[in-house]
Amino acid sequence: AQSVTQPDIHITVSEGASLELRCNYSYGATPYLFWYVQSPGQGLQLLLKYFSGDTLVQGIKGFEAEFKRSQSSFNLRKPSVHWSDAAEYFCAVGLNSGNTPLVFGKGTRLSVIA
Amino acid sequence: DGGITQSPKYLFRKEGQNVTLSCEQNLNHDAMYWYRQDPGQGLRLIYYSQIVNDFQKGDIAEGYSVSREKKESFPLTVTSAQKNPTAFYLCASSIEVGRIYEQYFGPGTRLTVT
């Protein structure tokens, strides 16, 4: 069965600094990969997705992620963090067959300090 | 204005009572999902439905029930058999975009049982 690991429970970065959130997946074939963001008390918003093609994908709010098959990773990056980026971030993996539920990691909480 | 609505935002119930959480979507999505979110646990799948009048158990279905009589609606009932029902509940729906099924989330309902 597929699984997702987000090794960092909580990360704190300074405003303006770069950010990288880690995500590792376990799945036998090439998966669909997603990053979502959740503000406190809100639903999840899709940031970006990967299925095939260019391994560096661009998303909303200035985020990007890179798929590395050899490392089974799909890390999320942002060159310069803004205070409004403080939220919880979830990585998810989907099967490449049919409309089946995504499997989510446990999330990484991002705090941004001045 | 298309989207997923969940009502109410906050719900309070006494222990031993059943409670139904509403989820409606006007996106014409075929599949709908219910997740439960607890601090540090990520999202856990309760039930999902790929088509009307059909649904499948997720990882933590015990103590919950659902129905899917209409494409637009996927209500979740939290029964008195659910041992620890206090949580944040998220509804989602999905549609195929290219070859990827993207999930979109509602704003969530916070249920407190005392």
Side-chain angles (χ1 to χ4, degrees):
Chain A
Q2 69 273 31
S3 65
V4 177
T5 301
Q6 294 181 245
D8 304 304
I9 296 172
H10 182 207
I11 284 182
T12 300
V13 300
S14 298
E15 192 168 14
S18 64
L19 170 70
E20 183 169 30
L21 301 182
R22 297 183 291 164
C23 172
N24 293 98
Y25 68 90
S26 172
Y27 182 55
T30 300
Y32 301 147
L33 294 161
F34 304 82
W35 274 100
Y36 286 85
V37 60
Q38 183 184 33
S39 297
Q42 303 296 317
L44 277 67
Q45 182 183 19
L46 179 63
L47 281 176
L48 47 76
K49 63 195 178 200
Y50 171 80
F51 169 63
S52 65
D54 193 346
T55 56
L56 184 64
V57 294
Q58 304 296 321
I60 62 171
K61 304 182 185 226
F63 285 92
E64 66 179 26
E66 186 172 14
F67 171 64
K68 292 186 177 180
R69 184 189 304 274
S70 61
Q71 299 177 19
S72 297
S73 69
F74 188 56
N75 294 350
L76 182 71
R77 301 195 295 246
K78 188 169 185 179
S80 177
V81 168
H82 188 261
W83 64 266
S84 60
D85 293 324
E88 187 137 24
Y89 292 80
F90 292 93
C91 182
V93 62
L95 298 178
N96 55 8
S97 60
N99 200 356
T100 52
L102 301 180
V103 174
F104 286 83
K106 294 192 173 183
T108 297
R109 184 163 62 93
L110 173 66
S111 296
V112 180
I113 58 176
Chain B
D1 212 6
I4 303 171
T5 56
Q6 292 186 243
S7 59
K9 178 75 172 171
Y10 299 96
L11 194 51
F12 298 89
R13 281 294 182 270
K14 294 290 188 186
E15 197 172 315
Q17 294 178 336
N18 292 354
V19 58
T20 297
L21 281 60
S22 167
C23 178
E24 304 278 332
Q25 55 100 0
N26 61 3
L27 302 168
N28 199 34
H29 289 179
D30 287 320
M32 297 185 73
Y33 312 82
W34 275 106
Y35 293 90
R36 170 181 171 138
Q37 188 175 24
D38 299 280
Q41 301 267 358
L43 277 70
R44 293 183 289 169
L45 181 68
I46 304 173
Y47 270 98
Y48 68 102
S49 167
Q50 294 178 313
I51 56 172
V52 174
N53 292 322
D54 188 39
F55 48 83
Q56 287 78 41
K57 293 182 179 180
D59 302 317
I60 56 165
E62 185 176 349
Y64 299 97
S65 65
V66 293
S67 63
R68 185 90 186 277
E69 297 175 2
K70 300 186 300 182
K71 189 175 186 177
E72 302 79 18
S73 179
F74 191 40
L76 174 74
T77 296
V78 184
T79 74
S80 57
Q82 168 49 232
K83 291 185 172 24
N84 187 17
T86 294
F88 189 54
Y89 290 88
L90 286 160
C91 177
S93 64
S94 68
I95 191 168
E96 186 176 11
V97 179
R99 292 177 60 185
I100 299 179
Y101 285 92
E102 294 185 2
Q103 280 192 16
Y104 295 88
F105 284 81
T109 292
R110 184 165 298 281
L111 173 65
T112 302
V113 177
T114 57

